[in-house]
Amino acid sequence: MRYYLSSGFFTDETRKQVSTVAQIFRDAGHEVYVPMEYFVPDGENMAPDEWARKVFEKDIEELNKCDVIVVLDFGANGDCGTSWEAGYAYAMGIPYIVYAYGSDISLMVYCGADSAKSITRGELKLV
């Protein structure tokens, strides 16, 4: 299986969780694309808008190649890019699974998911 690991990675704690989850999938023999691991070739010499476009294009390419998107939802510590990726998955018919770290998961991300589980509260019920 090929997974796309969607998550914000703007705090030490979220980066740690992303790395841990990616390693679990890799240890199980799966291929995992993790956006925070991608570095734009020669990105340090690009204008910010050019660099941003390269990141966006790479993420779209990888979203389209994956079998399943795994969304790590950190609630208040999450980010809009993760929500956008979940919406893209839903629109494109790519299954996605949400792991919520807390109880303030986005209702749009939650309701579009094929499966959702709260890490702190157990399984969330999809209706």
Side-chain angles (χ1 to χ4, degrees), residues 34-64:
V34 182
M36 77 173 189
E37 296 174 348
Y38 177 67
F39 292 95
V40 176
D42 201 36
E44 65 277 0
N45 295 316
M46 293 178 183
D49 59 334
E50 181 183 5
W51 176 87
R53 176 60 57 184
K54 296 285 187 189
V55 170
F56 178 80
E57 290 169 353
K58 177 64 173 173
D59 288 354
I60 294 296
E61 174 188 330
E62 294 297 330
L63 283 163
N64 289 329

PDB file of all heavy atoms in Angstrom, residues 34-64:
ATOM      1  N   VAL A  34       5.582  11.652   3.169  1.00  0.00           N
ATOM      2  CA  VAL A  34       5.411  12.581   4.276  1.00  0.00           C
ATOM      3  C   VAL A  34       5.854  13.961   3.795  1.00  0.00           C
ATOM      4  O   VAL A  34       7.046  14.179   3.573  1.00  0.00           O
ATOM      5  CB  VAL A  34       6.236  12.140   5.502  1.00  0.00           C
ATOM      6  CG1 VAL A  34       6.026  13.092   6.669  1.00  0.00           C
ATOM      7  CG2 VAL A  34       5.907  10.707   5.896  1.00  0.00           C
ATOM      8  N   PRO A  35       4.913  14.900   3.616  1.00  0.00           N
ATOM      9  CA  PRO A  35       5.290  16.210   3.093  1.00  0.00           C
ATOM     10  C   PRO A  35       6.415  16.902   3.852  1.00  0.00           C
ATOM     11  O   PRO A  35       7.251  17.568   3.227  1.00  0.00           O
ATOM     12  CB  PRO A  35       3.986  17.014   3.181  1.00  0.00           C
ATOM     13  CG  PRO A  35       2.919  15.979   3.026  1.00  0.00           C
ATOM     14  CD  PRO A  35       3.458  14.771   3.763  1.00  0.00           C
ATOM     15  N   MET A  36       6.478  16.743   5.174  1.00  0.00           N
ATOM     16  CA  MET A  36       7.539  17.443   5.921  1.00  0.00           C
ATOM     17  C   MET A  36       8.926  16.890   5.602  1.00  0.00           C
ATOM     18  O   MET A  36       9.920  17.538   5.903  1.00  0.00           O
ATOM     19  CB  MET A  36       7.287  17.410   7.429  1.00  0.00           C
ATOM     20  CG  MET A  36       7.598  16.142   8.122  1.00  0.00           C
ATOM     21  SD  MET A  36       7.423  16.373   9.919  1.00  0.00           S
ATOM     22  CE  MET A  36       8.116  14.830  10.493  1.00  0.00           C
ATOM     23  N   GLU A  37       9.007  15.737   4.969  1.00  0.00           N
ATOM     24  CA  GLU A  37      10.298  15.161   4.593  1.00  0.00           C
ATOM     25  C   GLU A  37      10.770  15.619   3.207  1.00  0.00           C
ATOM     26  O   GLU A  37      11.907  15.357   2.820  1.00  0.00           O
ATOM     27  CB  GLU A  37      10.223  13.637   4.622  1.00  0.00           C
ATOM     28  CG  GLU A  37       9.976  13.070   5.988  1.00  0.00           C
ATOM     29  CD  GLU A  37       9.755  11.572   6.006  1.00  0.00           C
ATOM     30  OE1 GLU A  37       9.569  10.958   4.920  1.00  0.00           O
ATOM     31  OE2 GLU A  37       9.759  11.005   7.098  1.00  0.00           O
ATOM     32  N   TYR A  38       9.886  16.272   2.465  1.00  0.00           N
ATOM     33  CA  TYR A  38      10.214  16.686   1.103  1.00  0.00           C
ATOM     34  C   TYR A  38      10.954  18.027   1.114  1.00  0.00           C
ATOM     35  O   TYR A  38      10.539  18.970   1.774  1.00  0.00           O
ATOM     36  CB  TYR A  38       8.949  16.805   0.253  1.00  0.00           C
ATOM     37  CG  TYR A  38       9.219  17.297  -1.147  1.00  0.00           C
ATOM     38  CD1 TYR A  38       9.941  16.519  -2.050  1.00  0.00           C
ATOM     39  CD2 TYR A  38       8.787  18.545  -1.565  1.00  0.00           C
ATOM     40  CE1 TYR A  38      10.209  16.967  -3.320  1.00  0.00           C
ATOM     41  CE2 TYR A  38       9.050  19.006  -2.840  1.00  0.00           C
ATOM     42  CZ  TYR A  38       9.757  18.211  -3.714  1.00  0.00           C
ATOM     43  OH  TYR A  38      10.031  18.667  -4.977  1.00  0.00           O
ATOM     44  N   PHE A  39      12.036  18.080   0.377  1.00  0.00           N
ATOM     45  CA  PHE A  39      12.781  19.313   0.211  1.00  0.00           C
ATOM     46  C   PHE A  39      12.849  19.636  -1.275  1.00  0.00           C
ATOM     47  O   PHE A  39      13.213  18.782  -2.084  1.00  0.00           O
ATOM     48  CB  PHE A  39      14.198  19.194   0.801  1.00  0.00           C
ATOM     49  CG  PHE A  39      14.176  19.075   2.298  1.00  0.00           C
ATOM     50  CD1 PHE A  39      14.203  17.829   2.902  1.00  0.00           C
ATOM     51  CD2 PHE A  39      14.098  20.202   3.097  1.00  0.00           C
ATOM     52  CE1 PHE A  39      14.155  17.712   4.289  1.00  0.00           C
ATOM     53  CE2 PHE A  39      14.046  20.104   4.477  1.00  0.00           C
ATOM     54  CZ  PHE A  39      14.077  18.851   5.072  1.00  0.00           C
ATOM     55  N   VAL A  40      12.475  20.829  -1.611  1.00  0.00           N
ATOM     56  CA  VAL A  40      12.477  21.266  -3.000  1.00  0.00           C
ATOM     57  C   VAL A  40      13.921  21.410  -3.467  1.00  0.00           C
ATOM     58  O   VAL A  40      14.694  22.142  -2.844  1.00  0.00           O
ATOM     59  CB  VAL A  40      11.737  22.612  -3.150  1.00  0.00           C
ATOM     60  CG1 VAL A  40      11.826  23.124  -4.588  1.00  0.00           C
ATOM     61  CG2 VAL A  40      10.290  22.488  -2.704  1.00  0.00           C
ATOM     62  N   PRO A  41      14.299  20.708  -4.533  1.00  0.00           N
ATOM     63  CA  PRO A  41      15.656  20.872  -5.055  1.00  0.00           C
ATOM     64  C   PRO A  41      15.921  22.337  -5.411  1.00  0.00           C
ATOM     65  O   PRO A  41      15.116  22.984  -6.071  1.00  0.00           O
ATOM     66  CB  PRO A  41      15.666  19.992  -6.317  1.00  0.00           C
ATOM     67  CG  PRO A  41      14.574  18.996  -6.086  1.00  0.00           C
ATOM     68  CD  PRO A  41      13.523  19.722  -5.287  1.00  0.00           C
ATOM     69  N   ASP A  42      17.013  22.865  -4.907  1.00  0.00           N
ATOM     70  CA  ASP A  42      17.426  24.245  -5.141  1.00  0.00           C
ATOM     71  C   ASP A  42      16.424  25.252  -4.569  1.00  0.00           C
ATOM     72  O   ASP A  42      16.391  26.411  -4.967  1.00  0.00           O
ATOM     73  CB  ASP A  42      17.663  24.493  -6.637  1.00  0.00           C
ATOM     74  CG  ASP A  42      18.546  25.696  -6.890  1.00  0.00           C
ATOM     75  OD1 ASP A  42      19.487  25.940  -6.103  1.00  0.00           O
ATOM     76  OD2 ASP A  42      18.270  26.422  -7.862  1.00  0.00           O
ATOM     77  N   GLY A  43      15.584  24.807  -3.634  1.00  0.00           N
ATOM     78  CA  GLY A  43      14.548  25.659  -3.058  1.00  0.00           C
ATOM     79  C   GLY A  43      15.076  26.899  -2.374  1.00  0.00           C
ATOM     80  O   GLY A  43      14.405  27.936  -2.362  1.00  0.00           O
ATOM     81  N   GLU A  44      16.273  26.814  -1.820  1.00  0.00           N
ATOM     82  CA  GLU A  44      16.836  27.971  -1.126  1.00  0.00           C
ATOM     83  C   GLU A  44      17.157  29.119  -2.081  1.00  0.00           C
ATOM     84  O   GLU A  44      17.343  30.258  -1.655  1.00  0.00           O
ATOM     85  CB  GLU A  44      18.087  27.575  -0.321  1.00  0.00           C
ATOM     86  CG  GLU A  44      19.258  27.110  -1.158  1.00  0.00           C
ATOM     87  CD  GLU A  44      19.211  25.638  -1.582  1.00  0.00           C
ATOM     88  OE1 GLU A  44      18.251  24.935  -1.224  1.00  0.00           O
ATOM     89  OE2 GLU A  44      20.146  25.197  -2.275  1.00  0.00           O
ATOM     90  N   ASN A  45      17.214  28.824  -3.383  1.00  0.00           N
ATOM     91  CA  ASN A  45      17.498  29.866  -4.375  1.00  0.00           C
ATOM     92  C   ASN A  45      16.248  30.344  -5.116  1.00  0.00           C
ATOM     93  O   ASN A  45      16.354  31.082  -6.095  1.00  0.00           O
ATOM     94  CB  ASN A  45      18.532  29.356  -5.389  1.00  0.00           C
ATOM     95  CG  ASN A  45      19.865  29.086  -4.725  1.00  0.00           C
ATOM     96  OD1 ASN A  45      20.338  29.893  -3.920  1.00  0.00           O
ATOM     97  ND2 ASN A  45      20.452  27.954  -5.017  1.00  0.00           N
ATOM     98  N   MET A  46      15.079  29.913  -4.660  1.00  0.00           N
ATOM     99  CA  MET A  46      13.823  30.294  -5.317  1.00  0.00           C
ATOM    100  C   MET A  46      13.125  31.407  -4.561  1.00  0.00           C
ATOM    101  O   MET A  46      13.266  31.525  -3.344  1.00  0.00           O
ATOM    102  CB  MET A  46      12.865  29.094  -5.368  1.00  0.00           C
ATOM    103  CG  MET A  46      13.308  27.989  -6.238  1.00  0.00           C
ATOM    104  SD  MET A  46      12.108  26.625  -6.163  1.00  0.00           S
ATOM    105  CE  MET A  46      12.946  25.440  -7.199  1.00  0.00           C
ATOM    106  N   ALA A  47      12.344  32.156  -5.302  1.00  0.00           N
ATOM    107  CA  ALA A  47      11.451  33.135  -4.680  1.00  0.00           C
ATOM    108  C   ALA A  47      10.400  32.350  -3.888  1.00  0.00           C
ATOM    109  O   ALA A  47      10.067  31.211  -4.254  1.00  0.00           O
ATOM    110  CB  ALA A  47      10.772  33.987  -5.748  1.00  0.00           C
ATOM    111  N   PRO A  48       9.875  32.925  -2.806  1.00  0.00           N
ATOM    112  CA  PRO A  48       8.903  32.196  -1.981  1.00  0.00           C
ATOM    113  C   PRO A  48       7.696  31.662  -2.753  1.00  0.00           C
ATOM    114  O   PRO A  48       7.262  30.536  -2.514  1.00  0.00           O
ATOM    115  CB  PRO A  48       8.476  33.236  -0.942  1.00  0.00           C
ATOM    116  CG  PRO A  48       9.661  34.147  -0.823  1.00  0.00           C
ATOM    117  CD  PRO A  48      10.231  34.223  -2.217  1.00  0.00           C
ATOM    118  N   ASP A  49       7.166  32.426  -3.701  1.00  0.00           N
ATOM    119  CA  ASP A  49       5.998  31.944  -4.444  1.00  0.00           C
ATOM    120  C   ASP A  49       6.357  30.787  -5.370  1.00  0.00           C
ATOM    121  O   ASP A  49       5.561  29.865  -5.567  1.00  0.00           O
ATOM    122  CB  ASP A  49       5.300  33.073  -5.201  1.00  0.00           C
ATOM    123  CG  ASP A  49       6.204  33.768  -6.200  1.00  0.00           C
ATOM    124  OD1 ASP A  49       7.435  33.779  -6.031  1.00  0.00           O
ATOM    125  OD2 ASP A  49       5.647  34.319  -7.181  1.00  0.00           O
ATOM    126  N   GLU A  50       7.550  30.801  -5.932  1.00  0.00           N
ATOM    127  CA  GLU A  50       8.001  29.695  -6.778  1.00  0.00           C
ATOM    128  C   GLU A  50       8.202  28.439  -5.927  1.00  0.00           C
ATOM    129  O   GLU A  50       7.787  27.342  -6.308  1.00  0.00           O
ATOM    130  CB  GLU A  50       9.306  30.072  -7.489  1.00  0.00           C
ATOM    131  CG  GLU A  50       9.818  28.981  -8.413  1.00  0.00           C
ATOM    132  CD  GLU A  50      11.152  29.331  -9.063  1.00  0.00           C
ATOM    133  OE1 GLU A  50      11.751  30.379  -8.741  1.00  0.00           O
ATOM    134  OE2 GLU A  50      11.603  28.517  -9.895  1.00  0.00           O
ATOM    135  N   TRP A  51       8.829  28.598  -4.766  1.00  0.00           N
ATOM    136  CA  TRP A  51       9.030  27.474  -3.851  1.00  0.00           C
ATOM    137  C   TRP A  51       7.675  26.894  -3.427  1.00  0.00           C
ATOM    138  O   TRP A  51       7.480  25.678  -3.431  1.00  0.00           O
ATOM    139  CB  TRP A  51       9.823  27.937  -2.628  1.00  0.00           C
ATOM    140  CG  TRP A  51       9.993  26.877  -1.595  1.00  0.00           C
ATOM    141  CD1 TRP A  51      10.985  25.943  -1.540  1.00  0.00           C
ATOM    142  CD2 TRP A  51       9.137  26.623  -0.475  1.00  0.00           C
ATOM    143  NE1 TRP A  51      10.800  25.117  -0.452  1.00  0.00           N
ATOM    144  CE2 TRP A  51       9.659  25.515   0.216  1.00  0.00           C
ATOM    145  CE3 TRP A  51       7.977  27.212   0.002  1.00  0.00           C
ATOM    146  CZ2 TRP A  51       9.069  24.994   1.359  1.00  0.00           C
ATOM    147  CZ3 TRP A  51       7.382  26.691   1.143  1.00  0.00           C
ATOM    148  CH2 TRP A  51       7.931  25.601   1.813  1.00  0.00           C
ATOM    149  N   ALA A  52       6.738  27.757  -3.070  1.00  0.00           N
ATOM    150  CA  ALA A  52       5.408  27.301  -2.640  1.00  0.00           C
ATOM    151  C   ALA A  52       4.717  26.522  -3.752  1.00  0.00           C
ATOM    152  O   ALA A  52       4.091  25.485  -3.498  1.00  0.00           O
ATOM    153  CB  ALA A  52       4.560  28.498  -2.220  1.00  0.00           C
ATOM    154  N   ARG A  53       4.809  26.984  -4.973  1.00  0.00           N
ATOM    155  CA  ARG A  53       4.188  26.289  -6.111  1.00  0.00           C
ATOM    156  C   ARG A  53       4.801  24.901  -6.285  1.00  0.00           C
ATOM    157  O   ARG A  53       4.085  23.935  -6.538  1.00  0.00           O
ATOM    158  CB  ARG A  53       4.353  27.132  -7.376  1.00  0.00           C
ATOM    159  CG  ARG A  53       3.855  26.500  -8.658  1.00  0.00           C
ATOM    160  CD  ARG A  53       2.395  26.157  -8.687  1.00  0.00           C
ATOM    161  NE  ARG A  53       1.558  27.301  -8.427  1.00  0.00           N
ATOM    162  CZ  ARG A  53       0.234  27.232  -8.318  1.00  0.00           C
ATOM    163  NH1 ARG A  53      -0.378  26.075  -8.473  1.00  0.00           N
ATOM    164  NH2 ARG A  53      -0.480  28.289  -8.056  1.00  0.00           N
ATOM    165  N   LYS A  54       6.112  24.778  -6.131  1.00  0.00           N
ATOM    166  CA  LYS A  54       6.780  23.471  -6.251  1.00  0.00           C
ATOM    167  C   LYS A  54       6.289  22.511  -5.166  1.00  0.00           C
ATOM    168  O   LYS A  54       6.046  21.330  -5.434  1.00  0.00           O
ATOM    169  CB  LYS A  54       8.300  23.619  -6.167  1.00  0.00           C
ATOM    170  CG  LYS A  54       8.915  24.400  -7.282  1.00  0.00           C
ATOM    171  CD  LYS A  54       8.970  23.603  -8.548  1.00  0.00           C
ATOM    172  CE  LYS A  54       9.753  24.362  -9.607  1.00  0.00           C
ATOM    173  NZ  LYS A  54       9.659  23.740 -10.903  1.00  0.00           N
ATOM    174  N   VAL A  55       6.157  22.995  -3.937  1.00  0.00           N
ATOM    175  CA  VAL A  55       5.654  22.156  -2.844  1.00  0.00           C
ATOM    176  C   VAL A  55       4.226  21.712  -3.154  1.00  0.00           C
ATOM    177  O   VAL A  55       3.886  20.530  -3.034  1.00  0.00           O
ATOM    178  CB  VAL A  55       5.715  22.906  -1.496  1.00  0.00           C
ATOM    179  CG1 VAL A  55       4.969  22.139  -0.413  1.00  0.00           C
ATOM    180  CG2 VAL A  55       7.162  23.150  -1.088  1.00  0.00           C
ATOM    181  N   PHE A  56       3.380  22.641  -3.556  1.00  0.00           N
ATOM    182  CA  PHE A  56       1.986  22.342  -3.893  1.00  0.00           C
ATOM    183  C   PHE A  56       1.906  21.276  -4.987  1.00  0.00           C
ATOM    184  O   PHE A  56       1.172  20.291  -4.858  1.00  0.00           O
ATOM    185  CB  PHE A  56       1.285  23.631  -4.334  1.00  0.00           C
ATOM    186  CG  PHE A  56      -0.138  23.431  -4.757  1.00  0.00           C
ATOM    187  CD1 PHE A  56      -1.145  23.320  -3.817  1.00  0.00           C
ATOM    188  CD2 PHE A  56      -0.470  23.364  -6.102  1.00  0.00           C
ATOM    189  CE1 PHE A  56      -2.471  23.138  -4.205  1.00  0.00           C
ATOM    190  CE2 PHE A  56      -1.780  23.185  -6.501  1.00  0.00           C
ATOM    191  CZ  PHE A  56      -2.783  23.070  -5.551  1.00  0.00           C
ATOM    192  N   GLU A  57       2.661  21.455  -6.052  1.00  0.00           N
ATOM    193  CA  GLU A  57       2.635  20.503  -7.166  1.00  0.00           C
ATOM    194  C   GLU A  57       3.108  19.115  -6.743  1.00  0.00           C
ATOM    195  O   GLU A  57       2.530  18.104  -7.160  1.00  0.00           O
ATOM    196  CB  GLU A  57       3.472  21.034  -8.331  1.00  0.00           C
ATOM    197  CG  GLU A  57       2.832  22.234  -8.995  1.00  0.00           C
ATOM    198  CD  GLU A  57       3.738  22.950  -9.981  1.00  0.00           C
ATOM    199  OE1 GLU A  57       4.952  22.607 -10.092  1.00  0.00           O
ATOM    200  OE2 GLU A  57       3.228  23.888 -10.640  1.00  0.00           O
ATOM    201  N   LYS A  58       4.147  19.054  -5.923  1.00  0.00           N
ATOM    202  CA  LYS A  58       4.645  17.757  -5.440  1.00  0.00           C
ATOM    203  C   LYS A  58       3.593  17.082  -4.569  1.00  0.00           C
ATOM    204  O   LYS A  58       3.348  15.871  -4.693  1.00  0.00           O
ATOM    205  CB  LYS A  58       5.955  17.946  -4.664  1.00  0.00           C
ATOM    206  CG  LYS A  58       6.518  16.673  -4.063  1.00  0.00           C
ATOM    207  CD  LYS A  58       6.916  15.670  -5.134  1.00  0.00           C
ATOM    208  CE  LYS A  58       7.632  14.482  -4.518  1.00  0.00           C
ATOM    209  NZ  LYS A  58       7.898  13.421  -5.484  1.00  0.00           N
ATOM    210  N   ASP A  59       2.959  17.839  -3.688  1.00  0.00           N
ATOM    211  CA  ASP A  59       1.934  17.252  -2.821  1.00  0.00           C
ATOM    212  C   ASP A  59       0.758  16.726  -3.648  1.00  0.00           C
ATOM    213  O   ASP A  59       0.251  15.631  -3.384  1.00  0.00           O
ATOM    214  CB  ASP A  59       1.463  18.257  -1.772  1.00  0.00           C
ATOM    215  CG  ASP A  59       2.517  18.514  -0.700  1.00  0.00           C
ATOM    216  OD1 ASP A  59       3.570  17.826  -0.700  1.00  0.00           O
ATOM    217  OD2 ASP A  59       2.291  19.405   0.136  1.00  0.00           O
ATOM    218  N   ILE A  60       0.315  17.468  -4.655  1.00  0.00           N
ATOM    219  CA  ILE A  60      -0.773  16.991  -5.526  1.00  0.00           C
ATOM    220  C   ILE A  60      -0.353  15.714  -6.247  1.00  0.00           C
ATOM    221  O   ILE A  60      -1.114  14.748  -6.327  1.00  0.00           O
ATOM    222  CB  ILE A  60      -1.176  18.077  -6.546  1.00  0.00           C
ATOM    223  CG1 ILE A  60      -1.787  19.276  -5.842  1.00  0.00           C
ATOM    224  CG2 ILE A  60      -2.146  17.521  -7.597  1.00  0.00           C
ATOM    225  CD1 ILE A  60      -3.081  19.000  -5.128  1.00  0.00           C
ATOM    226  N   GLU A  61       0.851  15.696  -6.760  1.00  0.00           N
ATOM    227  CA  GLU A  61       1.369  14.492  -7.434  1.00  0.00           C
ATOM    228  C   GLU A  61       1.310  13.289  -6.496  1.00  0.00           C
ATOM    229  O   GLU A  61       0.863  12.206  -6.878  1.00  0.00           O
ATOM    230  CB  GLU A  61       2.811  14.753  -7.881  1.00  0.00           C
ATOM    231  CG  GLU A  61       3.514  13.554  -8.469  1.00  0.00           C
ATOM    232  CD  GLU A  61       4.989  13.816  -8.707  1.00  0.00           C
ATOM    233  OE1 GLU A  61       5.382  14.976  -8.978  1.00  0.00           O
ATOM    234  OE2 GLU A  61       5.771  12.852  -8.601  1.00  0.00           O
ATOM    235  N   GLU A  62       1.760  13.467  -5.270  1.00  0.00           N
ATOM    236  CA  GLU A  62       1.786  12.359  -4.312  1.00  0.00           C
ATOM    237  C   GLU A  62       0.382  11.977  -3.839  1.00  0.00           C
ATOM    238  O   GLU A  62       0.095  10.801  -3.622  1.00  0.00           O
ATOM    239  CB  GLU A  62       2.681  12.706  -3.126  1.00  0.00           C
ATOM    240  CG  GLU A  62       4.149  12.850  -3.490  1.00  0.00           C
ATOM    241  CD  GLU A  62       4.788  11.559  -4.017  1.00  0.00           C
ATOM    242  OE1 GLU A  62       4.356  10.456  -3.617  1.00  0.00           O
ATOM    243  OE2 GLU A  62       5.718  11.661  -4.828  1.00  0.00           O
ATOM    244  N   LEU A  63      -0.500  12.948  -3.664  1.00  0.00           N
ATOM    245  CA  LEU A  63      -1.890  12.632  -3.311  1.00  0.00           C
ATOM    246  C   LEU A  63      -2.516  11.757  -4.391  1.00  0.00           C
ATOM    247  O   LEU A  63      -3.221  10.781  -4.095  1.00  0.00           O
ATOM    248  CB  LEU A  63      -2.712  13.918  -3.140  1.00  0.00           C
ATOM    249  CG  LEU A  63      -2.500  14.680  -1.850  1.00  0.00           C
ATOM    250  CD1 LEU A  63      -3.023  16.117  -1.982  1.00  0.00           C
ATOM    251  CD2 LEU A  63      -3.163  13.974  -0.676  1.00  0.00           C
ATOM    252  N   ASN A  64      -2.257  12.072  -5.643  1.00  0.00           N
ATOM    253  CA  ASN A  64      -2.840  11.311  -6.751  1.00  0.00           C
ATOM    254  C   ASN A  64      -2.252   9.918  -6.903  1.00  0.00           C
ATOM    255  O   ASN A  64      -2.879   9.055  -7.521  1.00  0.00           O
ATOM    256  CB  ASN A  64      -2.691  12.096  -8.054  1.00  0.00           C
ATOM    257  CG  ASN A  64      -3.594  13.299  -8.095  1.00  0.00           C
ATOM    258  OD1 ASN A  64      -4.684  13.301  -7.522  1.00  0.00           O
ATOM    259  ND2 ASN A  64      -3.144  14.352  -8.760  1.00  0.00           N
TER     260      ASN A  64
END
